Amino acid sequence: MTAIAFIGLGNMGAPMAENLVKAGHRVLAFDLVPFLRDAAKERGISVASSSVEAVQGADIVVTMLPAGRHVIEVWSAALPAARPGALFIDCSTIDVESARKAHVMAGERALPSLDAPVSGGTGGAKAATLTFMAGGEEAAFARAKPILEAMGKKIVHCGTAGAGQAAKICNNMILGVSMIAVGEAFVLAEKLGLSHQALFDVASTSSGQCWSLTTYCPVPGPVPSSPANSGYKPGFAANLMLKDLKLAQEAAQASGASTPLGALAAQLYGLYAAWGEGGSDFSGIIHLIRGKSEQSRD
Ligand code: NAD
C-alpha cells in the first residue's frame, strides 16, 4: 500500500483516483470544486481541504489538471509541503515547456518527477485501461509503474523530461490530420456516387487504412461501434482534439518543426468548435468538410 495524494478530481481524475483506492492504496485527494470533493467521498476516496494538506503525508503525488498553468500553480504550492523523496507524477495533457518546467521545479527540491499523460479517455479512466506515456528518469519511471498499472494497461517510458507530453501531442496530431483525410475521402466518394460501404471495404484493406477509418469511421454504418452511429456523442470531444492540436502547434513553433497539416487541422477544428460543435465527437469534423451540420443533413 502506498500513500498517494491525488489533485484534480474531474472527468478523468475521479475515476483514476477511485481505481487507486480499489487497488488498495491510501489516497488523499483534492479538487477546487466542492461538489467534486463530495462526489469523491461518495466513491470512497478520502478528501483533504487543500492540495498542500493532501501531499503532506504522501509518497506519491498525482496531478490531473486542465492545463500547464494549473500544474505549475499546484506543484509550486505542493512541492515545498512534500515529504523528502516524494515522487510527483503529472498525468494532465499540457504543453511540453510547462512539463519541463515542472520537472525543474521538482529537481530544485531534490524530488523525482514524471510527466505521464494518458490516452484512452473517460472510458479508459473508469475501466483502468489507460495508456500512460511517461517522460523522466528511469528510476522515477520504475517507481511509478506499479502505481500507473492500477489505472492503466499500457505504460510506456518515452524518454527524459517532457517526452511523455511530446509523444501525446505527436500521436494526437496524426489522429487529427488522419480523421480529416478520412472525412474528405468519404465526402468525395459521396459526390462521385460511391457508397460509404464500398469505400470502406476497399480503403480498410488497402493503403488508405488507418485507425480513423477502421476503428472510428466518421460515417454511420461500416463500423457499428464508432460515434457516427450514435449521433457523434463523444468518445473524444472535438474541443479536446483542438486543445491537443494547439499544443502540437505551440511545440512545433518552439522547436522549429514544420507541421503544415497539423496547423491546418488545428484551424479546421477551431472552425468546427466555433460552429458550436466542440462538445461533439471529433469525428464529426466530416460535417464541416461536407458543409452541413448533422442536424441539417438529410
Ligand atoms: P476536468 O476539467 O474534468 O478536470 C480537471 C479538474 O482539475 C477540475 O475538476 C478542476 O476543478 C481541477 N482543478 C483545476 N485547478 C485546480 C487546482 N488548482 N487545485 C485542485 N484542482 C484543480 O478535465 P479532465 O477531462 O478530467 O481532463 C484532465 C486532463 O486530462 C486534461 O489535461 C485533459 O486534456 C487530459 N485528458 C482528458 C481526456 C478526456 O477524455 N477527458 C483524455 C485524455 C487526456
Side-chain angles (χ1 to χ4, degrees), residues 116-184:
V118 303
S119 73
T122 51
K126 284 183 193 131
T129 56
L130 293 169
T131 295
F132 286 86
M133 38 215 114
E137 297 297 325
E138 185 65 53
F141 178 73
R143 201 170 140 200
K145 197 162 179 258
I147 303 299
L148 300 180
E149 278 166 349
M151 302 182 282
K153 70 165 196 268
K154 184 148 198 217
I155 324 291
V156 184
H157 189 204
C158 299
T160 54
Q165 297 294 350
K168 167 87 186 173
I169 57 173
C170 289
N171 177 71
N172 281 18
M173 190 173 78
I174 297 174
L175 179 61
V177 170
S178 68
M179 184 55 82
I180 291 167
V182 169
E184 283 189 3

Side-chain angles (χ1 to χ4, degrees), residues 86-213:
L87 168 63
F88 275 66
I89 307 172
D90 179 47
C91 297
S92 327
T93 302
I94 66 171
D95 58 289
V96 176
E97 207 177 319
S98 296
R100 290 188 175 143
K101 185 175 171 189
H103 279 279
V104 169
M105 285 162 49
E108 284 167 354
R109 297 195 167 264
L111 296 174
S113 57
L114 280 184
D115 53 293
V118 303
S119 73
T122 51
K126 284 183 193 131
T129 56
L130 293 169
T131 295
F132 286 86
M133 38 215 114
E137 297 297 325
E138 185 65 53
F141 178 73
R143 201 170 140 200
K145 197 162 179 258
I147 303 299
L148 300 180
E149 278 166 349
M151 302 182 282
K153 70 165 196 268
K154 184 148 198 217
I155 324 291
V156 184
H157 189 204
C158 299
T160 54
Q165 297 294 350
K168 167 87 186 173
I169 57 173
C170 289
N171 177 71
N172 281 18
M173 190 173 78
I174 297 174
L175 179 61
V177 170
S178 68
M179 184 55 82
I180 291 167
V182 169
E184 283 189 3
F186 275 109
V187 170
L188 176 59
E190 289 164 7
K191 295 279 186 202
L192 297 175
L194 179 66
S195 74
H196 291 162
Q197 192 63 49
L199 173 59
F200 180 84
D201 289 345
V202 172
S204 64
T205 53
S206 303
S207 44
Q209 188 273 337
C210 64
W211 190 92
S212 292
L213 176 70

